[in-house]
Amino acid sequence: GQGWENSLTVGGAEADIPHSITKEGTHHFISAQVTHDANHLSISSGETITSTVGGKDILTLKVDGSANFMSQKIIGSLGDDFAGDLVRTSGYLAITGALGGEFVNDGETYGQNGHNNFLVAKVDQSGQENDQYFTSSGSSSPEGRGNGITILDNGTLLIGGRLQPSTTY
């Protein structure tokens, strides 16, 4: 019978849900929703991820063509966050999703507590930590969520999701 040639598992104490995968060259980029674990998320290759925030968080993984763990990034609020789609382009990984509360990065607060905030994140892959975040806010109903993303030949990102009519971003 056929078996897995290469595999990598990541998980914590509860349900973790992979969402999207994309490939560039020999590298694969994966988005997933992971449940906060006070101890750590375990990776089958022996590494651990200790920076989950709370509730459910968005995890991005970079693995090589043999499924070896290379790097990770956690994006999360104290609420439940949801991973959407991702694309890789010119030095960054663009991710959609929803933040279930406020997310703080470099002293800047994104989203609002008590809402699902539409999220688009550009995660810098150069190691310089020049990440950029765009979120919705101002809605009286917690319904913002980024679901899909693609990139056009000219570099323009097209994003699909949902927002309430009175939402600003």
Side-chain angles (χ1 to χ4, degrees):
Q2 293 289 329
W4 294 97
E5 184 175 319
N6 299 303
S7 68
L8 178 79
T9 59
V10 177
E14 294 184 34
D16 303 307
I17 304 167
H19 185 79
S20 187
I21 187 168
T22 191
K23 180 181 179 192
E24 181 179 274
T26 60
H27 297 128
H28 294 82
F29 300 86
I30 303 160
S31 67
Q33 179 187 51
V34 294
T35 302
H36 170 70
D37 189 317
N39 298 313
H40 60 267
L41 297 173
S42 297
I43 302 173
S44 59
S45 55
E47 296 92 348
T48 59
I49 298 170
T50 59
S51 58
T52 55
V53 180
K56 298 181 184 306
D57 297 319
I58 298 167
L59 169 68
T60 63
L61 287 175
K62 178 180 179 181
V63 299
D64 69 14
S66 298
N68 294 307
F69 169 78
M70 298 183 71
S71 63
Q72 59 87 18
K73 175 82 176 188
I74 293 283
I75 302 170
S77 69
L78 293 178
D80 286 344
D81 309 307
F82 302 92
D85 212 356
L86 72 149
V87 293
R88 170 81 168 92
T89 184
S90 56
Y92 66 88
L93 186 64
I95 306 157
T96 59
L99 291 174
E102 291 180 349
F103 169 69
V104 179
N105 183 66
D106 286 339
E108 190 86 22
T109 300
Y110 300 93
Q112 292 182 3
N113 286 324
H115 293 86
N116 279 343
N117 303 276
F118 186 102
L119 169 70
V120 178
K122 290 173 69 176
V123 177
D124 182 18
Q125 296 291 295
S126 71
Q128 300 298 309
E129 298 291 324
N130 293 323
D131 301 339
Q132 297 177 0
Y133 300 94
F134 308 90
T135 59
S136 62
S137 62
S139 173
S140 60
S141 180
E143 292 297 329
R145 185 171 185 160
N147 291 322
I149 191 169
T150 193
I151 188 163
L152 301 178
D153 290 341
N154 67 4
T156 300
L157 291 173
L158 293 180
I159 302 158
R162 64 182 189 213
L163 292 171
Q164 289 297 318
S166 61
T167 301
T168 59
Y169 60 94

